[in-house]
């Protein structure tokens, strides 16, 4: 099929864009085709529902709405106020939180606002070190966090790969941080929030849970919630949670005003009301039994994939996973993570490299949120692991596997019809 024919077939999805701007329409179509013919194993990605996409593409995108419902700096906000109140109410119900701020433009903006609400520049913060799975906003020198705050990093145990609780306690007692951050871009296990709360209380620190990754599992009841333990929970809405690209903050009522002021006007301007509306849609979807079943299947698929990858010879960090996320060292197959990612890209298997704690070489980070949304289950995880390992060790030709991948993905279209 020529590109043009394909565009015509998909034209409805892009609302007549082909006729007005064929150049851009072709780009949208190419990306949509890439997503539906390759395997999305990037742990932070997912497929939003058509309902979420509809809200994102709605005229709410036109509305300026600085401030909060009932107290805006712009006129004409009476309808979008209802949308934001609905999003906040759904988020509070879904996570059992006293307060929710749904305006954060991203996960990083949520963390920035959390720090702004609780800290002053120069304060000491204890967080998972970047080479052990901390996020940029947990003290990277290239990020505002590392520039404006004094970060101390804790790590994971060299043997078990699990967070070193003794080290967390010792560093907290030594450095007396103003805040402790728990949360990671790569940690495959549940965090012990009660432990972090206990240490924070002992040294008089705030506890910030950066639950950007697991918040969708929390919504579906497939992971323990940080909400009862943390002073502030930061999250994204676009990872396992399957909503629009964006962030949010959950907190106790007594911090509500500080958090809201830290988001607007301190770190952001006008809210993006189309995204806020799409978050409301996603929270509604995430409160259904179907989403709880999805969250359970995401974890079941990750456990199956981790076991098959281990059987294929990769070294799976912590020996498995509790979540949607797996990190693994492909070294026993003869290559490092960077080389493996390149070979896999040629086969249409899309994933990330990541730092491996206590190692010089990079590993692989992958997740099952997107494949599970497509309807894949444990049986497909076995196939994915076999294709992945075959390509990585050089036993399978990436070009041939690309066809297997196309066939597999074709049986599980992310947007059927
Ligand atoms: C994804 C992630 C973020 C940042 O989210 P963005 O929307 O990309 O800014 C922050 N913290 C953690 C732990 C994450 O996994």
């Amino acid at each position: 099929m020529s590109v043009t024919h394909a565009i015509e077939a998909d034209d409805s999805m892009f609302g007549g864009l082909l006729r007005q701007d064929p150049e851009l329409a072709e780009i949208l179509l190419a990306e949509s085709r890439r997503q539906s013919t390759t395997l999305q194993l990037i742990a932070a990605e997912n497929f939003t529902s058509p309902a979420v996409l509809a809200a994102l593409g709605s005229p709410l995108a036109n509305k300026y709405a600085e401030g909060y419902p009932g107290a805006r700096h712009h006129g004409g906000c009476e309808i979008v106020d209802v949308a934001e109140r609905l999003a906040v109410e759904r988020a509070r119900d879904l996570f059992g939180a006293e307060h929710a701020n749904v305006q954060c433009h991203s996960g990083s903006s949520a963390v920035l606002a959390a720090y702004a609400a609780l800290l002053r520049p120069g304060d000491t913060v204890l967080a998972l070190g970047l080479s052990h799975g901390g996020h940029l906003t947990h003290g990277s020198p290239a990020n505002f966090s590392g520039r404006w705050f004094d970060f101390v990093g804790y790590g994971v145990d060299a043997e078990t790969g699990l967070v070193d609780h003794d080290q967390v306690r010792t560093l907290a007692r030594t450095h007396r941080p103003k805040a402790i951050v728990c949360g990671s871009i790569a940690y495959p296990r549940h965090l012990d929030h009660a432990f972090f709360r206990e240490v924070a209380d002992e040294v008089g620190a705030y506890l910030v849970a950066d639950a950007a990754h697991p918040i969708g599992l929390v919504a579906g009841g497939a992971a323990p919630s940080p909400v009862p333990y943390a002073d502030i929970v930061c999250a994204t809405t676009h990872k396992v949670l399957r909503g629009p690209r964006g962030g949010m903050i959950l907190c106790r009522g007594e911090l509500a005003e500080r958090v809201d002021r830290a988001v607007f006007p301190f770190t952001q301007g006008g809210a993006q009301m189309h995204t806020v509306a799409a978050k409301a849609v996603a929270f509604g979807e995430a409160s259904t039994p179907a989403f709880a079943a999805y969250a359970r299947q995401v974890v079941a698929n990750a456990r199956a994939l981790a076991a098959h990858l281990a059987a294929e010879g990769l070294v799976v960090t912590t020996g498995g996973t509790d979540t949607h996320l797996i990190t693994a060292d492909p070294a026993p197959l003869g290559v490092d993570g960077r080389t493996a990612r390149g070979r896999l890209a040629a086969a249409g298997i899309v994933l990330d490299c990541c730092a491996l704690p206590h190692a010089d070489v990079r590993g692989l980070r992958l997740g099952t949120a997107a494949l599970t949304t497509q309807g894949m289950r444990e049986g497909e995880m076995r196939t994915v692991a076999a294709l992945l390992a075959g390509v990585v060790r050089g036993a399978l030709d990436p070009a041939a596997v690309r066809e297997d991948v196309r066939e597999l993905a074709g049986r599980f279209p992310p947007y059927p019809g």
Side-chain angles (χ1 to χ4, degrees):
M1 198 193 300
S2 78
V3 170
T4 312
H5 276 119
I7 289 176
E8 279 163 7
D10 280 55
D11 193 28
S12 61
M13 190 167 170
F14 299 124
L17 198 56
L18 171 68
R19 274 174 296 280
Q20 189 196 315
D21 189 342
E23 191 179 4
L24 200 274
E26 224 166 283
I27 296 167
L28 294 192
L29 187 72
E31 172 59 11
S32 124
R33 196 185 301 115
R34 185 195 69 79
Q35 291 183 13
S36 60
T37 62
T38 57
L39 296 177
Q40 314 311 318
L41 283 158
I42 290 179
E45 290 188 0
N46 209 333
F47 293 103
T48 64
S49 68
V52 167
L53 291 180
L56 284 175
S58 71
L60 271 70
N62 302 326
K63 188 69 200 93
Y64 233 117
E66 280 184 352
Y68 291 98
R72 302 284 191 186
H73 297 256
H74 297 94
C77 288
E78 56 279 1
I79 313 279
V80 292
D81 278 3
V82 182
E84 182 164 346
R85 285 201 178 100
L86 186 61
V88 167
E89 193 181 296
R90 286 182 179 178
R92 283 203 319 239
D93 287 352
L94 183 58
F95 298 105
E98 289 177 13
H99 180 69
N101 187 305
V102 298
Q103 291 193 5
C104 308
H105 296 327
S106 70
S108 299
S109 318
V111 179
L112 171 61
Y115 295 166
L118 302 177
L119 308 174
R120 289 278 168 274
D123 280 346
T124 300
V125 184
L126 181 61
L128 186 62
L130 264 64
S131 63
H132 287 221
H135 184 256
L136 280 172
T137 53
H138 303 172
S140 163
N143 183 264
F144 75 88
S145 55
R147 186 89 62 85
W148 293 344
F149 302 103
D150 185 11
F151 270 83
V152 178
Y154 57 87
V156 298
D157 182 84
E159 289 302 311
T160 62
L162 302 176
V163 170
D164 185 340
H165 283 190
D166 291 339
Q167 189 193 20
V168 172
R169 201 185 294 277
T170 306
L171 289 174
R173 285 174 180 163
T174 308
H175 296 277
R176 313 296 294 188
K178 185 89 176 287
I180 298 176
V181 179
C182 63
S184 168
I185 61 168
Y187 194 64
R189 297 295 181 174
H190 296 319
L191 292 169
D192 185 345
H193 301 117
F195 162 78
F196 280 100
R197 178 75 263 169
E198 186 191 306
V199 176
D201 284 343
E202 187 193 317
V203 301
Y206 289 110
L207 179 61
V208 175
D210 185 356
H213 265 282
I215 198 72
L217 297 177
V218 173
S225 175
V227 170
Y229 300 97
D231 295 291
I232 292 185
V233 176
C234 303
T236 60
T237 49
H238 52 271
K239 296 181 181 175
V240 187
L241 189 53
R242 215 158 65 180
R245 194 152 287 284
M248 70 171 161
I249 289 179
L250 306 167
C251 68
R252 289 197 314 277
E254 67 198 71
L255 285 173
E257 215 184 309
R258 274 160 80 183
V259 162
D260 284 352
R261 275 199 314 249
V263 174
F264 173 86
F266 196 73
T267 59
Q268 291 190 177
Q272 304 195 344
M273 296 315 300
H274 57 310
T275 308
V276 167
K279 287 172 187 173
V281 174
F283 298 146
E285 291 175 352
S287 64
T288 60
F291 190 87
Y294 163 72
R296 278 195 302 277
Q297 189 63 46
V298 166
V299 177
N301 281 353
R303 290 210 160 114
L305 184 57
H308 293 309
L309 291 174
E312 294 281 354
L314 288 92
V315 181
V316 174
T317 314
T318 77
T321 182
D322 296 330
T323 65
H324 62 298
L325 193 150
I326 299 162
T327 66
D329 186 357
L333 307 192
V335 294
D336 69 355
R338 210 179 288 279
T339 310
R341 183 180 66 172
R343 288 185 185 174
L344 290 166
I349 298 174
V350 185
L351 43 58
D352 289 326
C353 294
C354 68
L356 290 173
H358 306 289
D360 298 330
V361 294
R362 290 178 75 73
L364 295 174
R365 177 180 52 166
L366 50 165
T368 52
L371 297 189
T372 308
T373 294
Q374 288 175 271
M376 295 190 199
R377 302 177 75 90
E378 288 91 332
E380 284 76 35
M381 296 306 111
R382 175 189 289 276
T383 307
V384 170
L387 294 174
L388 185 153
V391 170
V392 170
R393 73 161 66 84
L396 298 175
D397 171 24
V401 171
R402 180 74 190 85
E403 292 315 307
D404 295 336
V405 162
R406 198 184 298 279
E407 189 276 328
L408 175 61
R411 283 193 283 124
F412 297 90
Y415 296 104

